[in-house]
Amino acid sequence: MNNLPDTPSPPLAPAVDADALTVVRGPRTVLRHLRFTVPRGRITGLLGPSGCGKSTLIRSIVGTQAKVTGTLNVLGRPAGHPTLRSRIGYVTQAPSVYDDLTVRQNLDYFAAILDPGRAAAERRHQHVTRAIADVDLTRHADTLAGNLSGGQRGRVSLAVALLGTPDLLVLDEPTVGLDPVLRRDLWNLFHDLAAGRGATLLVSSHVMDEAERCDQLLLMREGEILADGTPDALRTRTGTDTVEAAFLTLVDQAAGADRTKESTR
Ligand SMILES: Nc1ncnc2c1ncn2[C@@H]1O[C@H](COP(=O)(O)OP(=O)(O)OP(=O)(O)O)[C@@H](O)[C@H]1O
Ligand SMILES: [Mg+2]
């Protein structure tokens, strides 16, 4: 035994760390000087109205957005670094599945891209079966994707993103158009992935009641981060009962600050 005092293990570096992050699309600056972090092993909600820049921010993090400036580190590497490809699962806002393939064939196809070769066949089979079960589509494994409901097709996309057992899962509005039961089941799955497997999730939504299900929030408005923190902290800070009311209070405060700036120009 040594006499050294117990040194707490250093806190894990955030999964995403951004500073002065700016994105120009066409003639417009759609993200302006963002500074934020996304903690590891948690669910962070990216909330804000349509057009505020959620998808642009997500595309920057997964490395598919052009004209990104500032600092953006993801899992300790600059966003877009080739080694991040297998560590990030990304579900786009529009489900990207082949309608003329069955659920299992869709997953087999993407699994073969992720983990090619004859020797990996058994491993791929296990990963595909698990991903289909994760999103509760086992009963529909042999159904053509084109014959599924909208919510079921969305879950095939999610299963594809889960295939590689990613450290970071980025989901752009995954619950749009889902009924309340499916939404609840998906959120339970998200919590299992974070708490059970230690995955980091970044989930965008413009439905404020989903914010209450997140560990951490980034509230966006017009290309800026309006506030961040836990749902509790945001409610307390604004003296409100719901994240929706907190968001509206923060929007009003920001609009008031904008007016003050303009009138003193
Ligand atoms: N090619 C482009 N040229 C100019 N502006 C663009 C271009 N693409 C997107 N934008 C603008 O960028 C802003 C952010 O778009 P983004 O898709 O990131 O918003 P969002 O928050 O994901 O919206 P939604 O909730 O509707 O999906 C929008 O105001 C949009 O009009
Ligand atoms: Mg979007």
Side-chain angles (χ1 to χ4, degrees):
M1 258 181 72
N2 64 40
N3 294 325
L4 290 174
D6 277 352
T7 40
S9 46
L12 281 177
V16 180
D17 194 349
D19 194 14
L21 176 68
T22 299
V23 176
V24 175
R25 294 185 83 168
R28 295 186 47 207
T29 302
V30 298
L31 298 183
R32 271 184 303 277
H33 260 77
L34 305 192
R35 181 178 189 169
F36 65 90
T37 57
V38 173
R40 288 200 194 225
R42 298 282 177 90
I43 302 177
T44 296
L46 180 60
L47 277 288
S50 180
C52 72
K54 300 180 297 295
S55 295
T56 308
L57 178 54
I58 281 178
R59 288 159 50 90
S60 306
I61 290 170
V62 301
T64 57
Q65 179 65 49
K67 296 200 184 164
V68 179
T69 55
T71 306
L72 182 58
N73 287 317
V74 180
L75 303 172
R77 307 267 176 163
H81 194 278
T83 58
L84 292 174
R85 267 179 225 151
S86 59
R87 301 181 63 198
I88 301 177
Y90 171 36
V91 183
T92 55
Q93 202 164 344
S96 39
V97 295
Y98 295 105
D99 281 346
D100 53 345
L101 299 182
T102 67
V103 171
R104 180 175 284 281
Q105 285 167 341
N106 264 286
L107 280 133
D108 283 341
Y109 172 74
F110 289 105
I113 295 172
L114 275 172
D115 191 9
R118 199 178 277 271
E122 181 52 29
R123 188 168 59 221
R124 280 201 301 269
H125 180 76
Q126 283 171 11
H127 286 175
V128 165
T129 302
R130 193 206 58 203
I132 292 174
D134 277 347
V135 299
D136 202 15
L137 283 178
T138 304
R139 277 189 310 122
H140 299 283
D142 298 316
T143 305
L144 286 179
N147 292 343
L148 297 172
S149 74
Q152 289 166 336
R153 287 175 86 248
R155 281 186 286 151
V156 180
S157 270
L158 177 59
V160 171
L162 292 174
L163 272 179
T165 324
D167 297 324
L168 172 63
L169 194 55
V170 183
L171 308 162
D172 200 354
E173 305 216 21
T175 58
V176 167
L178 297 188
D179 62 67
V181 175
L182 276 177
R183 282 212 297 160
R184 184 201 57 198
D185 291 351
L186 261 196
W187 277 98
N188 286 342
L189 171 61
F190 298 162
H191 281 283
D192 285 349
L193 290 168
R197 295 189 205 161
T200 302
L201 281 86
L202 179 64
V203 183
S204 78
S205 177
H206 58 254
V207 187
M208 285 293 162
D209 66 355
E210 303 215 305
E212 312 282 351
R213 302 175 188 260
C214 299
D215 300 313
Q216 195 74 24
L217 295 171
L218 294 171
L219 300 186
M220 283 188 80
R221 170 190 170 255
E222 294 178 18
E224 291 175 357
I225 304 275
L226 196 57
D228 64 354
T230 64
D232 260 352
L234 289 168
R235 282 191 296 260
T236 306
R237 183 176 141 191
T238 50
T240 54
D241 293 334
T242 62
V243 172
E244 177 158 12
F247 182 76
L248 293 173
T249 305
L250 290 161
V251 166
D252 288 346
Q253 283 170 1
D258 286 350
R259 276 196 299 275
T260 312
K261 250 190 260 166
E262 270 162 32
S263 65
T264 52
R265 257 188 207 143

